[in-house]
Amino acid sequence: MADERAFTASLARFFAAPAGVRVPIGDDAAEVPNRGRESVLCCDPVVERVHFARGADLALVGRKAVNRNLADLAAMGARPDWLLVSLVLPRAMAAAARTRLLRGIRAAARAGRCAVVGGDVATHRGPLVVTVTAVGHLRGRALLRSAARAGDSIHLTGPVGNSRAGHHLSFRPPLAEGEWLARHGGAAAAIDVSDGLLLDLWTVLAASGGLGAELHEDAIPRRPGVGAGRRALLRALAEGEDHVLLFTVRSGRRLRRGGPLRALARRPIGRVVSRPGLWLVDSRGKRTRLLARGWQHALAGA
Amino acid sequence: MADERAFTASLARFFAAPAGVRVPIGDDAAEVPNRGRESVLCCDPVVERVHFARGADLALVGRKAVNRNLADLAAMGARPDWLLVSLVLPRAMAAAARTRLLRGIRAAARAGRCAVVGGDVATHRGPLVVTVTAVGHLRGRALLRSAARAGDSIHLTGPVGNSRAGHHLSFRPPLAEGEWLARHGGAAAAIDVSDGLLLDLWTVLAASGGLGAELHEDAIPRRPGVGAGRRALLRALAEGEDHVLLFTVRSGRRLRRGGPLRALARRPIGRVVSRPGLWLVDSRGKRTRLLARGWQHALAGA
C-alpha cells in the first residue's frame, strides 16, 4: 500500500502552482489572489461507508459534508461565503431521504453564514457521495501548516478522541476561533485535526521544515468517553475527525485576551522542538517516543 | 421516477439565494459578486459507469472531468481561473492508473489556461468519482439561460450527435466562443448542450418565460457518424454530451464579424417563438411537433 500523504505531496509537485498563488495544494485549503483580497478554496467529499455508515441520519451526513469544508476554511482563518454541492445519489434513494440530506446541508450553511449557490446532481448504482466546495475570504493573513517554529507552544481549540460515537457527524466547525486566531489572537501555524492529532501535528512539523514536538500527557483535553490511561489517550490521538484546530503560538508571545476561545485552548498541550520526532511526556517528566499514526486512505501501490 | 429537472428546480427554491447573487442555482454556473467583478462557480462530477465506461482511457476521463466544468463556464461567457479536484478512487486502482488520470486533468487545465490549486483524495470499495470545481470570472455580462425572447435566432457553435463514439471524452470546451459571444459577439441567451439539444433548448425556453422554438431540419449541423434522415437527426438531438453552445441572437441584431466562431455558428438553426412547444420544420415548410427528450438522471419518487 502506498501512503496517502505521499500521494498528496506528489499532487503538489504534479500540479505546479502559477505565480501569485500563495498557498497551493498541501494546506487545509488553497489561497489564491483575488483583486486585493485573498480567496480561500477547498473541496472535500463524504462517501457512504467511508465517512458515514449506511443508515446514518442523512441530515447529519449533509451537515458533515458542509462542516468538513468549513473546518478547512477555519484552519486557514478564512470566513466562508459560497458553497457548491455535487450530489451523486444512489438510484433508489427516496425523495424523503434526499430532502433530509438537503436540510442538513442547508442548516450547516446557515450556521456557517454562507450560501449554497450551485452544484450538480447525478444518480448511479453505487454509494452516496456528497462533495461540497467552499469558497471564502481572508481578512488578514492565513494560518498555515508551514508556519511553526521550534519553541512554539501547541494548543487545541477543543478536546479530542471518541469522535466515532457521534461527534464526527455533529461537530461544529471552529470558524470563529480560526478567524480570531488569524486576525487578532496571535497564532502562528494551524491545522484542522481530521486525521488524528498525531498525524496532523506531524504534518505541521514536516511542513515547517522537519521539526519535532513534545506533548504533555496530562494536558491533552479528552472528549467524554475517551477513558483514562495512556492507551486510551493514544487511541484518541490517532482516531481522527476531531475537527478542532491545532495551533501554535510563538515562544514569548501570549494569546490575546477575549475572543471566542475556550479556556482549555489557552493552556498549551506541548511545544515544538527542533529535533524531528514526537514525544509524550508524563507527569514525572518521563519521555516516550510516539509514531505519527492516524487515519490514511489506503492506496494501491505500483 | 421523479424528474431530474424538477429536482434541480426544487433545489433553487430550497437554497434561496442571498441578496447580491445575480445567478443562483439553475443556470450553467453560479454568478456571485466579488469586489466589483463577478465570479462564476460550478461543480460537476464524472462517475464510472455513468459518465464513462469501466476500462475507458483514464487520461480522457480526467480530461472530461475538467472540460465538463469548463464548458459550463463557457456557457456563461466566463474565463476559468482555478480548479479544485476531489478524487474518490477505487481502493485497487493502480498507481499508473492514478497518474494517467492526473495527466488528463493537468492537460485539460493547461489547455483551458487555468490551474489546479487544491482538492482532496479518498478511497473506497466503489466506482471512481472525479468531482471538479471550476472558478472563473466575467469580463462583461453573463450569458444566461433566461435571456431568450420570441424572434431570437438560434445557433450552435458546433455540430451535434454521435457523442458516445468518443466525442463525450475528447471534446474541447468552447471557452473562446463563450467569452467572445458574451463580450463582443452579440449573443442573448446561451446554454451548454450537455443533456441533448432538445432538452437544453427546452430549458432555455422555459427559463425565458415559457417560449417555444422552430428548428429547421436541414440547418442543424450533424457530427460525423450521425447518419442521414430524420430518425438519425432526432436521435442526435436527444443524445447529449455535445458540449457545444446553443445561443440566441436578437431579431434584427447581427453577430459581430471576426472572432473565434466557426462559419456554421453564424447560420441559424431555427428561431424562438412565443407559443410554447418545439417544432421541426422540413425543407418544404412542413412542421412536426417534438417532445423535449434527452438525458436525465433517474430519481426515485416519493
Side-chain angles (χ1 to χ4, degrees):
Chain A
M1 291 301 207
D3 177 315
E4 181 203 341
R5 306 239 147 186
F7 183 58
T8 306
S10 77
L11 291 184
R13 292 188 298 273
F14 192 87
F15 295 111
V21 174
R22 278 199 55 211
V23 184
I25 293 170
D27 214 298
D28 292 279
E31 181 187 338
V32 297
N34 177 36
R35 298 173 81 72
R37 188 178 75 179
E38 301 286 291
S39 282
V40 180
L41 316 168
C42 62
C43 177
D44 253 18
V46 298
V47 181
E48 186 177 326
R49 300 181 76 174
V50 177
H51 301 99
F52 62 93
R54 197 173 274 183
D57 179 350
L58 288 165
L60 291 177
V61 170
R63 172 178 171 153
K64 177 174 183 171
V66 171
N67 283 344
R68 264 163 63 89
N69 284 281
L70 298 189
D72 279 332
L73 291 193
M76 302 291 284
R79 179 179 284 196
D81 296 310
W82 315 114
L83 302 178
L84 302 173
V85 178
S86 163
L87 301 172
V88 180
L89 307 175
R91 216 166 273 180
M93 190 174 180
R98 296 197 299 267
T99 301
R100 206 152 166 77
L101 177 67
L102 295 176
R103 287 214 174 114
I105 291 169
R106 184 169 65 181
R110 283 182 181 159
R113 297 188 184 181
C114 53
V116 176
V117 291
D120 191 72
V121 180
T123 63
H124 73 150
R125 298 187 196 282
L128 174 61
V129 180
V130 182
T131 308
V132 171
T133 299
V135 178
H137 68 273
L138 282 169
R139 302 209 291 175
R141 286 184 76 77
L143 295 171
L144 302 184
R145 296 176 172 182
S146 56
R149 279 196 222 147
D152 285 6
S153 56
I154 303 170
H155 303 253
L156 291 173
T157 59
V160 295
N162 197 29
S163 179
R164 264 168 235 167
H167 177 79
H168 78 104
L169 287 169
S170 64
F171 69 90
R172 184 187 62 74
L175 285 165
E177 293 89 333
E179 191 179 351
W180 184 83
L181 284 167
R183 291 187 70 198
H184 311 293
I191 191 169
D192 169 40
V193 180
S194 57
D195 297 333
L197 189 147
L198 292 182
L199 196 52
D200 290 319
L201 172 56
W202 185 252
T203 298
V204 166
L205 299 170
S208 300
L211 301 171
E214 294 171 354
L215 296 174
H216 299 290
E217 185 166 0
D218 298 339
I220 299 170
R222 305 179 188 204
R223 198 169 286 118
V226 166
R230 177 170 282 194
R231 277 180 69 172
L233 177 64
L234 291 178
R235 241 190 344 263
L237 298 186
E239 186 181 329
E241 303 207 303
D242 302 298
H243 296 300
V244 295
L245 300 184
L246 181 151
F247 64 96
T248 78
V249 178
R250 288 277 179 272
S251 165
R253 187 159 178 189
R254 291 173 72 98
L255 278 169
R256 189 163 146 176
R257 283 165 174 271
L261 292 190
R262 296 169 64 172
L264 65 83
R266 297 180 172 276
R267 291 191 291 272
I269 64 164
R271 68 185 185 96
V272 179
V273 298
S274 55
R275 186 177 160 205
L278 292 173
W279 290 270
L280 196 62
V281 185
D282 72 11
S283 57
R284 289 175 299 180
K286 191 176 163 229
R287 294 155 49 95
T288 308
R289 182 113 192 207
L290 300 176
L291 289 174
R293 289 191 311 115
W295 171 262
Q296 297 206 63
H297 286 280
L299 290 166
Chain B
M1 290 300 204
D3 177 316
E4 181 203 341
R5 305 238 147 188
F7 182 59
T8 306
S10 77
L11 291 183
R13 291 189 298 272
F14 192 87
F15 294 111
V21 174
R22 278 198 56 211
V23 184
I25 293 170
D27 214 298
D28 291 279
E31 182 187 337
V32 297
N34 178 35
R35 297 173 82 71
R37 187 178 75 179
E38 300 286 291
S39 281
V40 180
L41 315 168
C42 63
C43 177
D44 253 18
V46 298
V47 181
E48 184 178 325
R49 303 180 74 174
V50 177
H51 301 99
F52 62 93
R54 198 174 272 184
D57 180 349
L58 287 165
L60 291 177
V61 170
R63 173 178 169 151
K64 176 173 183 171
V66 171
N67 283 344
R68 264 163 62 88
N69 283 282
L70 298 189
D72 279 332
L73 291 193
M76 303 290 285
R79 178 178 284 196
D81 297 309
W82 315 114
L83 302 177
L84 302 173
V85 178
S86 163
L87 301 172
V88 180
L89 307 175
R91 216 166 274 181
M93 189 173 181
R98 295 197 300 266
T99 300
R100 208 153 164 77
L101 177 68
L102 295 177
R103 286 213 174 113
I105 290 169
R106 185 170 63 183
R110 282 181 181 159
R113 297 188 184 181
C114 53
V116 176
V117 291
D120 192 71
V121 180
T123 62
H124 73 151
R125 298 186 196 284
L128 174 61
V129 179
V130 182
T131 307
V132 171
T133 300
V135 178
H137 68 273
L138 282 169
R139 300 210 290 174
R141 285 184 76 78
L143 295 171
L144 302 185
R145 294 176 173 183
S146 56
R149 280 196 221 148
D152 285 6
S153 58
I154 303 170
H155 303 253
L156 292 173
T157 58
V160 295
N162 197 29
S163 178
R164 265 168 234 168
H167 177 78
H168 77 105
L169 287 170
S170 64
F171 68 90
R172 185 187 61 75
L175 284 164
E177 293 89 332
E179 192 180 351
W180 184 84
L181 284 167
R183 290 186 70 197
H184 310 292
I191 192 168
D192 169 40
V193 180
S194 57
D195 296 334
L197 189 146
L198 292 182
L199 195 53
D200 290 319
L201 172 56
W202 184 252
T203 297
V204 166
L205 299 171
S208 300
L211 301 171
E214 293 172 355
L215 296 174
H216 298 290
E217 184 167 0
D218 297 340
I220 300 170
R222 305 178 187 205
R223 199 170 286 119
V226 166
R230 177 170 283 195
R231 276 180 70 170
L233 177 65
L234 291 177
R235 240 192 342 265
L237 298 185
E239 185 181 330
E241 303 207 303
D242 300 299
H243 296 299
V244 295
L245 299 184
L246 180 151
F247 63 96
T248 78
V249 178
R250 289 277 179 271
S251 165
R253 187 160 177 187
R254 291 173 71 98
L255 279 169
R256 190 163 144 175
R257 282 164 175 273
L261 291 190
R262 297 170 64 172
L264 65 84
R266 296 180 173 277
R267 291 191 291 272
I269 64 164
R271 66 184 186 96
V272 179
V273 298
S274 55
R275 185 177 161 206
L278 293 173
W279 290 269
L280 196 62
V281 185
D282 72 11
S283 57
R284 290 174 299 180
K286 192 176 164 233
R287 293 155 51 96
T288 308
R289 180 112 191 210
L290 301 175
L291 289 173
R293 289 190 314 113
W295 170 261
Q296 297 207 62
H297 286 279
L299 290 166

